[in-house]
Amino acid sequence: MILNTIVVALPHLARFMICVIIVSLAYIFCGWLVLSPYNRKFTSFWVTMETLFSLLNGDDMFATFDLVKTRTMIATQHLILIFSRIYLYSYVCFFIYVVLSLCISIIEDAYTIVSNYRSDSCPWLQDRGLLPEFATSWEQNLLRRRKSSDKISRHR
């Protein structure tokens, strides 16, 4: 059942992850271009990517925020301080609350589809051949095979 869930969720997750990679690259480039003169954790593309990844995991969060605050206050550029706060908070909130929740919901939807096909908890779906709007061709073939195997077993 878990393998079927992975197969059903994979196309949806792949499309979603392409969008997430684009948004992540935008955040990385923005941090690198704007914050690199003010924070050593944003000095290059790869260092910025590592910093943002560690922020998602909760590593070194206070030091990153404090380093941005200290360097910008010395330079007396309050706009950079405000931007850096909005930038870091929006990145962490977006990726923790939105991206991770949507990944979990995509996998849960795939599990629901697979469990409905495997059990008789949804007979109206199997009898009429109705599928959810987001069903893929693989899911339709799975339902057709199940219906044909049920007909063969009834005739025996």
Side-chain angles (χ1 to χ4, degrees), residues 8 19 32 34 60 72 92 134 149 153:
V8 170
C19 296
W32 176 35
V34 176
D60 211 24
T72 56
V92 170
F134 53 86
S149 66
S153 63

Side-chain angles (χ1 to χ4, degrees), residues 9-61:
L10 199 58
H12 303 292
L13 276 175
R15 280 181 258 150
F16 178 68
M17 290 311 292
I18 289 171
C19 296
V20 168
I21 288 171
I22 292 170
V23 172
S24 180
L25 286 174
Y27 267 101
I28 292 168
F29 278 117
C30 181
W32 176 35
L33 294 175
V34 176
L35 297 176
S36 63
Y38 306 101
N39 193 334
R40 63 183 161 90
K41 292 188 175 190
F42 294 93
T43 55
S44 71
F45 178 82
W46 296 108
V47 173
T48 303
M49 186 170 62
E50 291 168 359
T51 300
L52 292 178
F53 183 76
S54 68
L55 282 174
L56 284 182
N57 292 321
D59 298 338
D60 211 24
M61 193 171 282

Side-chain angles (χ1 to χ4, degrees), residues 69-141:
K69 180 180 176 183
T70 306
R71 299 290 297 283
T72 56
M73 294 308 278
I74 291 171
T76 65
Q77 296 182 1
H78 297 289
L79 289 176
I80 296 296
L81 176 64
I82 293 169
F83 172 79
S84 67
R85 296 293 177 179
I86 292 171
Y87 168 78
L88 292 173
Y89 284 131
S90 67
Y91 178 79
V92 170
C93 290
F94 177 73
F95 276 88
I96 288 176
Y97 298 124
V98 176
V99 172
L100 294 179
S101 296
L102 284 174
C103 282
I104 291 170
S105 67
I106 289 171
I107 294 169
E108 284 179 351
D109 285 344
Y111 178 77
T112 303
I113 290 170
V114 170
S115 65
N116 284 342
Y117 289 161
R118 291 187 61 116
S119 68
D120 293 328
S121 63
C122 197
W124 61 271
L125 182 69
Q126 295 173 357
D127 291 340
R128 297 182 186 162
L130 300 175
L131 293 171
E133 293 179 13
F134 53 86
T136 63
S137 61
W138 184 88
E139 295 161 349
Q140 293 171 355
N141 290 335

